[in-house]
Amino acid sequence: MKLKQLESELGHLVQFQSPKIELEQYPTGAHIASRMMYMAESNFGDICGKSIADLGCGCGTLGVAASLLDASYVIGFDQDLAALDTAQENCRDLEIDMDFVQCDVKSLGLTRISVDTVVMNPPFGTRRKGADMEFLSVALKIARTAIYSLHKSSTRQHVKRAALQDLGAKTAEVLFELRFDLKSLYKFHKKQELDIAVDLWRFTV
Ligand SMILES: C[S@@+](CC[C@H](N)C(=O)[O-])C[C@H]1O[C@@H](n2cnc3c(N)ncnc32)[C@H](O)[C@@H]1O
């Protein structure tokens, strides 16, 4: 599938109806999600024919993109049932076969789940400090090859050091920096928090 077509399909997905701020529920927009997933496939071959886990899948954007890029198997994990219901509806509409599990992502670190590639837009840790690194720690346990993840650019040095020194990543590379616009979702945020710089990372194990 071409990039433009992928972006267009993702642009039609239903997103969080009443986002829960304590779970940092904001969708990855179609422009960012399509480029993130397209790059994972076209530059690194990490999606087509691979098993994929979408951690904190929300309404399913990244997992759906993986399916549209011909992943062999896709599973999404999220704590929130309402988001998972929407994700399932999105899959039904597109006739996509994807599994979903309701759980706290932290619990996956204790399981034997193993996939080729993990994709995620984790909570940035603004509501619960360290949430992003908890997701990364789990991702590094269950991925056999690579992890694609979004983190605030302001945490770049910390993410790199923790991934390489504490969490066992073999490599940690920022693929590109982007801006995440939370304006329309959380209207009561302070202005400087609305448009934030975010890194797309690729970690290998
Ligand atoms: C920033 S949103 C990303 C949603 C979706 N992946 C996307 O890209 O549009 C973070 C997601 O993580 C979920 N989440 C937050 N903490 C979680 C946890 N401890 N375990 C499982 N899911 C969690 C939220 O419900 C939310 O759907």
Side-chain angles (χ1 to χ4, degrees):
M1 176 176 285
K2 297 242 165 62
L3 175 61
K4 278 284 152 207
Q5 194 186 349
L6 180 64
E7 182 175 353
S8 164
E9 297 282 8
L10 299 182
H12 291 108
L13 297 179
V14 177
Q15 296 295 349
F16 302 106
Q17 299 301 293
S18 330
K20 299 182 176 78
I21 192 162
E22 69 278 11
L23 291 175
E24 295 192 44
Q25 290 187 332
Y26 33 81
T28 311
H31 183 81
I32 292 173
S34 58
R35 277 147 187 84
M36 170 176 174
M37 298 301 293
Y38 199 81
M39 183 179 238
E41 175 51 26
S42 58
N43 290 26
F44 301 99
D46 282 328
I47 307 295
C48 180
K50 308 290 185 189
S51 55
I52 312 289
D54 179 355
L55 302 190
C57 63
C59 303
T61 303
L62 301 178
V64 165
S67 287
L68 293 172
L69 291 170
D70 294 323
S72 60
Y73 175 72
V74 187
I75 184 163
F77 300 93
D78 205 287
Q79 207 167 326
D80 184 36
L81 253 192
L84 291 174
D85 284 346
T86 305
Q88 266 172 328
E89 264 174 49
N90 281 328
C91 286
R92 260 195 301 275
D93 288 348
L94 287 168
E95 298 183 2
I96 277 175
D97 193 15
M98 180 171 162
D99 284 340
F100 293 100
V101 176
Q102 186 202 12
C103 69
D104 185 329
V105 156
K106 292 196 291 296
S107 66
L108 299 178
L110 305 170
T111 66
R112 297 166 71 99
I113 289 166
S114 174
V115 293
D116 294 312
T117 306
V118 169
V119 295
M120 59 186 190
N121 176 9
F124 291 142
T126 48
R127 300 299 295 183
R128 204 169 51 77
K129 205 169 159 21
D132 53 340
M133 299 313 285
E134 284 171 359
F135 268 59
L136 183 57
S137 167
V138 168
L140 282 160
K141 287 192 180 116
I142 69 175
R144 288 192 290 271
T145 307
I147 294 133
Y148 294 83
S149 184
L150 297 166
H151 297 266
K152 280 163 88 169
S153 302
S154 59
T155 64
R156 190 177 292 175
Q157 294 314 319
H158 169 66
V159 169
K160 184 157 200 155
R161 190 171 2 90
L164 295 174
Q165 292 177 13
D166 305 333
L167 303 177
K170 195 153 86 182
T171 65
E173 182 190 1
V174 174
L175 299 180
F176 59 79
E177 186 178 323
L178 49 106
R179 300 209 71 86
F180 220 95
D181 184 8
L182 303 178
K183 232 176 280 165
S184 51
L185 284 171
Y186 299 137
K187 294 190 171 53
F188 49 89
H189 265 202
K190 288 194 218 110
K191 195 166 186 350
Q192 66 267 28
E193 289 177 314
L194 292 177
D195 185 23
I196 53 175
V198 171
D199 293 335
L200 170 63
W201 285 86
R202 179 175 189 263
F203 305 93
T204 59
V205 294

